[in-house]
Structures are given as C-alpha cells and as structure tokens.
Amino acid sequence: MLSVAIVGASGYTGAELLRILAAHPAMAVVVATGDTQAGVAVGDLYPHLGPAYPGLVFSGFQPEDVAGADVVFFALPHGASQRIIPDVLEEGTGARIVDLAADFRLNDTAVYEQWYGEPHAAPGHLASFAYGLPELYRDTFAGAAAIAAPGCYPTAAALALAPLVQAGAIEPSGVIVDAASGVSGAGRPARPHTSFCAVDEDFVAYGLLDHRHTPEIEQAGGAGVLFTPHLAPMNRGILATCYARPTGAAGTDDLLALYADAYAGEPFVTVSDNSPSTKATLGSNSAHLTARFDPRTGWVMAICALDNLGKGASGQAVQCANLLCGLDETTGLATVGVYP
C-alpha cells in the first residue's frame, strides 16, 4: 500500500482527493495538512469523509511530515507550492509529486510573471514537471520527477481543441473559448461574490480578457485564444464551448470521427453526438465531448463537459499519480457520473 500525504487537504480539491483516495485500493492517506484548519478533525469539517477517516486530523504543514510518503499531492492556492516543492524535490526522498496549482504548468517564466503578476520563485524546477493531462501528454510522464496537473478550464478546452489543432482541422489562432464553472472552482473560503445569495439565480462572466488560465489554454490548444469564463449557479462542473475556423472542407461527421480516433481507448473520454452535460460527469473523472460544423457561418464548434473537481482537478491528479506509480491509470477512479 502506497502512503499518501496531501498538502492543503482542507480545501475543496483536497477534500475531493480524500474522497477519491478513501476507496483507492493501492493508496492510503497518512497525512492531511491544512494550516487554516490545523487541529480540526477531517470529519468535523467534511462530515461525508468522517466514516472513511475517523481518526484523521488536519495538521499544520511541516516538511518532515511528508518526507516518508510515497505520493505527495499539493492542493494549495496558486503561488504557494512553488515555495515548498523545491525543498521536497531537493531532499531526494523519491516521493511522487503531483501539484494541482498553476505554479509549474507554464514552461515560460516570463509568461508566468505576465499573467500571475509576480516572478516565479523556482524557475529552475519548471523542467522537472510534466504537464498532467494524460490523454495528450502521457508520453512525457516517463522519467518525470513530478506532475503539474492542469486546472478545470484548461483541461476542458485542451481536450476539445488539441485533437483538432494537431490534425490541422482548425486554425490554431483566433479560437474562442466560452466556459462556465461551478462555484466550487472558486475555492472553499467564503467571498462576497461566491456566497449563496450572490450566485443563486445568477450567471456572470468574469476575468474579461485577462484570466490567468488563458496562456495555459494557448499552450495546449492553440495561440491567440479569446477565453471568457463564467460563474454558473451550480456546485460542480465545467462546460467549455469552443469556436474555431476550419482550415479546409469540414463536416460534423468528420470532426466526430477525428475525436473518435484521437481518443480511442481513452477510458475517461466519451465522444458522442449528444450535447455534453455537466451533470452527466458529476463525481467522475470523465470528460464528454462533441463537435459540430456549421455550414451557414463556417465555424467549427467543440464542446467539453467535465467535473471541475474530478477530471478538472483531483481526479486527474490521482490519474497522474497512478501512472507515476506504475498502476493502471483508472485505479480508484469513476468513469460514471452521479445522477440525479
């Protein structure tokens, strides 16, 4: 049994890691840190986790607490893990590291500083990380010291766009990505714009022209992307609708066939004629895809739905950890969503 430490386990992505790993046959959580909840029992903060972790208490982060773990997940706010992970890597403990934040996803420090507003604290370690989207970058995992798991918006957009870009079916520039996220994507701490009264019966665009996931989407799915995220009044889910110009003759059947070929054998990607639904992916590590060509306007439309805490965060992180540990990547992960 592989021992697991979760740094930042008290947030939503940390809680989802705890939920998934509670049923994992080859991994067991031994440390769950959460500085703001240190001393609080896991089951008191998250009652649904109480039966699985009756004796587990959130602790303050101490480097020695994770030194003996076989796998370490970092589920911290953006900017925090880059100040901690280098010490873990340099200690050479051999632990497999998966970071859920954006700190090591971008391969250009200048781009990171432009979009995140500060210099990267550990630029020398960027090359140590593979980009954790297995369906597109699985071949880069071999020999990687650590994995930077992509976020929910970039995962949805990249899964929808990358096969079309790689096949030369769409122009890689001038792509439009409109995506809506559940409120859990904003994190657990209460904020005025994410309270129940603020989000209920509302639908709002935010991060206009400058959302920090834009360069990550461009890195995986094309250049010159116009990305507009929206906050939807639901707990979980991402629905990304992407628009691009075809490079030549196109048809809906051709696009769907391209998807089917690109994702043949991928256990967590479903290609369908049906319009994807966030509810259909709830609680799973699955992404649902479809595409259309509109002969009237000449646009290609590609749509992806997924659970922002599942395939968009913690589920994908476990998928990556499975691969790092030599396990079947589906181990402990659901392909079927919870409905209703």
Side-chain angles (χ1 to χ4, degrees):
M1 185 70 74
L2 297 167
S3 60
V4 174
I6 304 173
V7 180
S10 61
Y12 284 151
T13 56
E16 186 70 355
L17 282 169
L18 286 167
R19 185 186 73 82
I20 294 169
L21 293 171
H24 199 290
M27 296 185 187
V29 177
V30 296
V31 175
T33 80
D35 289 353
T36 63
Q37 300 295 322
V40 176
V42 167
D44 287 344
L45 184 62
Y46 294 112
H48 70 296
L49 296 174
Y53 301 99
L56 189 61
V57 175
F58 293 113
S59 61
F61 174 74
Q62 297 294 334
E64 57 267 23
D65 292 340
V66 305
D70 297 308
V71 182
V72 184
F73 294 98
F74 287 84
L76 296 168
H78 301 310
S81 58
Q82 63 188 270
R83 308 181 195 287
I84 298 174
I85 288 178
D87 291 337
V88 177
L89 286 172
E90 289 164 10
E91 285 175 4
T93 63
R96 290 84 157 184
I97 291 174
V98 181
D99 184 26
L100 280 72
D103 294 33
F104 296 95
R105 296 177 193 161
L106 298 175
N107 50 30
D108 187 330
T109 56
V111 173
Y112 179 90
E113 183 172 355
Q114 175 187 350
W115 289 88
Y116 286 84
E118 62 180 2
H120 199 282
H125 288 281
L126 290 175
S128 300
F129 283 77
Y131 191 68
L133 186 48
E135 289 77 10
L136 302 179
Y137 297 93
R138 188 181 288 108
D139 292 345
T140 69
F141 284 23
I147 300 291
C152 48
Y153 284 129
T155 295
L159 289 174
L161 293 170
L164 306 182
V165 172
Q166 292 168 2
I170 61 172
E171 297 288 350
S173 60
V175 173
I176 297 170
V177 176
D178 282 336
S181 172
V183 183
S184 60
R188 186 182 60 81
R191 297 179 177 89
H193 69 284
T194 60
S195 67
F196 175 81
C197 290
V199 302
D200 186 43
E201 298 188 36
D202 193 24
F203 187 72
V204 62
Y206 64 98
L208 305 182
L209 305 182
D210 62 0
H211 194 279
R212 59 193 181 185
H213 283 167
T214 300
E216 193 179 340
I217 294 172
E218 291 182 336
Q219 182 173 278
V225 171
L226 176 58
F227 169 52
T228 307
H230 300 73
L231 188 64
M234 58 185 182
N235 292 328
R236 301 163 68 131
I238 289 281
L239 185 70
T241 306
C242 311
Y243 305 93
R245 289 294 189 184
T247 55
T252 294
D253 289 344
D254 296 329
L255 296 172
L256 291 173
L258 193 157
Y259 272 168
D261 288 343
Y263 293 121
E266 292 293 349
F268 297 117
V269 177
T270 297
V271 178
S272 173
D273 291 336
N274 299 326
S275 184
S277 159
T278 59
K279 189 78 167 183
T281 67
L282 181 67
S284 78
N285 195 53
S286 291
H288 292 189
L289 290 167
T290 198
R292 298 288 189 275
F293 173 68
D294 180 15
R296 183 179 65 85
T297 63
W299 284 90
V300 168
M301 177 174 63
I303 304 175
C304 179
L306 51 79
D307 185 332
N308 62 292
L309 294 179
K311 184 59 176 166
S314 305
Q316 182 147 264
V318 173
Q319 183 183 356
C320 292
N322 284 338
L323 288 166
L324 283 183
C325 295
L327 303 171
D328 187 296
E329 66 189 273
T330 66
T331 307
L333 293 167
T335 57
V336 177
V338 177
Y339 195 93

